[in-house]
Amino acid sequence: MSYENLAGRTAVVTGAASGIGEAVAVTLAAEGARVALLARRAERLDAVVEKIVADGGQALAVVADITDDASVEAAVARIHEAYGTVDLVVNNAGVMIPNPIEQAPVDEWQAMIDTNLTGVLRITGAFAGDLGEAAARGGSADLVNISSVAAHLTGFPGFAVYGATKAAVTHLSALLRGEFSPRGVRVTNVEPGVTQTEIASRLDAEGQEAIGGLVEAFGALSPYELADVVAYVASRPAQVNLRQVMVLPTRQV
């Protein structure tokens, strides 16, 4: 599907080295956007950028850690130098580490909070001025946060802290509309259901078994199906804001 309204825009996508982030970056670039890809894995980022450029798109690999202020500041400076003002920000980077609460793995809780919530805040704050400037010029300006249905759904033992971070992102997205919408900036919160991503491969055997059970029961979305949703919401006319989108495999309830 083609979304002509994305041509000429400048996007930042976090967690762009794989999974949903990679798919979003590739999709936006295919629609004519210039895309800055942020992630920690330089080799993987370079491979994705090479793929985009080979297909005729424009992309910039920016190695950055969204949990680190200095790293984000350096990334913002590089993006501004290369592309100027950003008008589309996709907060996708995330960490999922399931554990029973009684194990009290504080370091793992902190890792999820730092990436899934504070990282979103850090990137949003870094580009808030850009988004406002883009909207003031009369163009479209979008903040798209990738949350999760785990923000709402219960019944997944061990995922309480992950779900809590995603619930915070969902609520944050709703509240940010109060700050951004009067300036003409759209905020969209996307909550994927079961999705085929690399994140599950990083889990321990018990965690992979839990995710595998969900895939077997419900099926799974592909990253490019989620990317299509992001492209769709960002390509609507400037006065149209799809503020909340939950995307599930058809069999998931």
Side-chain angles (χ1 to χ4, degrees):
M1 184 177 294
S2 179
Y3 300 116
E4 294 180 1
N5 292 343
L6 293 172
R9 296 189 61 183
T10 301
V12 169
V13 181
T14 68
S18 63
I20 296 171
E22 175 185 351
V24 169
V26 170
T27 299
L28 294 178
E31 297 297 333
R34 302 185 299 178
V35 185
L37 292 77
L38 270 65
R40 291 177 295 183
R41 292 178 291 170
E43 183 176 340
R44 181 58 192 163
L45 274 183
D46 289 340
V48 179
V49 167
E50 287 177 11
K51 175 181 177 180
I52 290 172
V53 172
D55 289 336
Q58 298 182 70
L60 176 71
V62 182
V63 177
D65 180 354
I66 66 168
T67 70
D68 180 84
D69 288 334
S71 182
V72 170
E73 289 174 6
V76 172
R78 185 176 178 204
I79 293 166
H80 283 162
E81 181 179 6
Y83 286 162
T85 302
V86 170
D87 59 28
L88 171 55
V89 175
V90 182
N91 279 312
N92 165 76
V95 176
M96 180 174 66
I97 313 173
N99 262 310
I101 202 76
E102 64 267 18
Q103 291 183 5
V106 176
D107 57 335
E108 295 180 351
W109 295 346
Q110 195 64 55
M112 287 187 280
I113 293 168
D114 288 347
T115 302
N116 300 357
L117 179 56
T118 311
V120 169
L121 290 167
R122 189 173 280 111
I123 293 295
T124 300
F127 291 105
D130 285 36
L131 295 174
E133 181 181 334
R137 294 199 303 258
S140 295
D142 290 275
L143 172 66
V144 181
N145 293 330
I146 307 299
S147 181
S148 169
V149 296
H152 304 288
L153 303 184
T154 59
F156 302 116
F159 290 87
V161 176
Y162 172 77
T165 63
K166 290 302 186 177
V169 170
T170 291
H171 196 54
L172 173 68
S173 300
L175 295 175
L176 284 176
R177 287 199 75 249
E179 295 188 34
F180 281 113
S181 60
R183 301 165 63 191
V185 178
R186 302 182 293 200
V187 180
T188 299
N189 189 67
V190 179
E191 296 181 343
V194 181
T195 306
Q196 297 170 341
T197 70
E198 191 183 78
I199 197 169
S201 67
R202 302 173 189 168
L203 304 179
D204 60 19
E206 186 176 351
Q208 289 191 40
E209 183 179 356
I211 297 298
L214 294 176
V215 173
E216 184 177 352
F218 304 132
L221 302 169
S222 78
Y224 280 90
E225 287 166 338
L226 266 299
D228 183 62
V229 172
V230 172
Y232 179 80
V233 301
S235 65
R236 297 307 85 203
Q239 74 273 19
V240 178
N241 186 182
L242 299 176
R243 59 167 285 180
Q244 176 77 14
V245 183
M246 183 180 287
V247 190
L248 303 174
T250 299
R251 298 204 308 268
Q252 186 174 1
V253 296

